[in-house]
Amino acid sequence: MPFVMAGHAEFGIGSFEDDGTSEARIETLMESPLSAIVIKNGRFEKRRRLTWDELTASELIAMRRGTRIRTQIDEALAQTGQELKPTLEVSLITTALALTAEGAGISILPAHMLPKAQFPTLAAVPLSQPTVKRHVSLLSRADFTLSPAAEQFAEIARRAWSAK
């Protein structure tokens, strides 16, 4: 966000929090629920949803404290009197996915972050009670018109994310 707002980049794509200022334009391209990323072993992958409570007896893999995903999880669970107690904390999403693929536990990540071709043995099962959603957004400065090339790229991103 700082690079875009300082004018070093025309736009950014990611998960941005709207800080309420009129200086930023945030366009949501897609939203995805946080999910239990599980190994396909017959235990959970056929479920339509899982609750956070159903995972308490499982080995959990979570992003480390201080990451945006972890902060969002901790805040949402705190509102319902719950607490995430992961077995492992990681810094990289790919580490969480690789550990899950090796059977080390269940990762808690947005469903759209599971590259199914790279990890065909994994499945994403949406979590509920509470449902926590992550947004992928396009960020630009409100006082700035994107260049034709940047606007074309943004349009491609809109089409690609809307197809997911």
Side-chain angles (χ1 to χ4, degrees):
M1 188 174 210
F3 284 103
V4 173
M5 299 316 292
H8 300 300
E10 287 190 59
F11 65 91
I13 295 178
S15 294
F16 305 104
E17 299 296 323
D18 189 353
D19 62 4
T21 69
S22 60
E23 297 174 11
R25 183 178 324 128
I26 299 175
E27 175 188 347
T28 300
L29 301 175
M30 71 160 301
E31 67 178 24
S32 178
L34 286 184
S35 296
I37 309 296
V38 300
I39 197 160
K40 294 178 183 176
N41 61 7
R43 186 171 171 208
F44 290 126
E45 74 271 11
K46 293 183 180 171
R47 300 275 305 271
R48 290 181 44 124
R49 294 207 166 276
L50 286 168
T51 66
W52 292 87
D53 284 341
E54 290 177 294
L55 298 180
T56 56
S58 300
E59 304 286 321
L60 297 179
I61 302 166
M63 299 304 295
R64 68 172 169 72
R65 289 187 187 277
T67 59
R68 189 177 300 270
I69 291 173
R70 181 60 183 275
T71 300
Q72 192 175 13
I73 291 168
D74 289 343
E75 289 174 357
L77 291 179
Q79 291 179 1
T80 63
Q82 300 175 72
E83 182 181 356
L84 183 68
K85 295 179 181 174
T87 304
L88 299 170
E89 293 184 343
V90 298
S91 296
L92 301 172
I93 291 167
T94 52
T95 302
L97 293 169
L99 286 167
T100 298
E102 290 300 317
I106 296 171
S107 292
I108 308 298
L109 296 169
H112 72 268
M113 291 186 167
L114 173 59
K116 293 176 184 171
Q118 185 179 357
F119 294 100
T121 62
L122 300 182
V125 181
L127 288 164
S128 63
Q129 298 178 17
T131 298
V132 181
K133 294 186 178 180
R134 291 280 291 170
H135 298 96
V136 176
S137 301
L138 181 93
L139 170 77
S140 60
R141 290 188 355 231
D143 64 344
F144 184 77
T145 301
L146 295 178
S147 68
E151 184 55 52
Q152 184 65 34
F153 184 91
E155 185 53 39
I156 291 168
R158 288 180 190 104
R159 285 196 307 266
W161 284 109
S162 69
K164 290 192 178 248

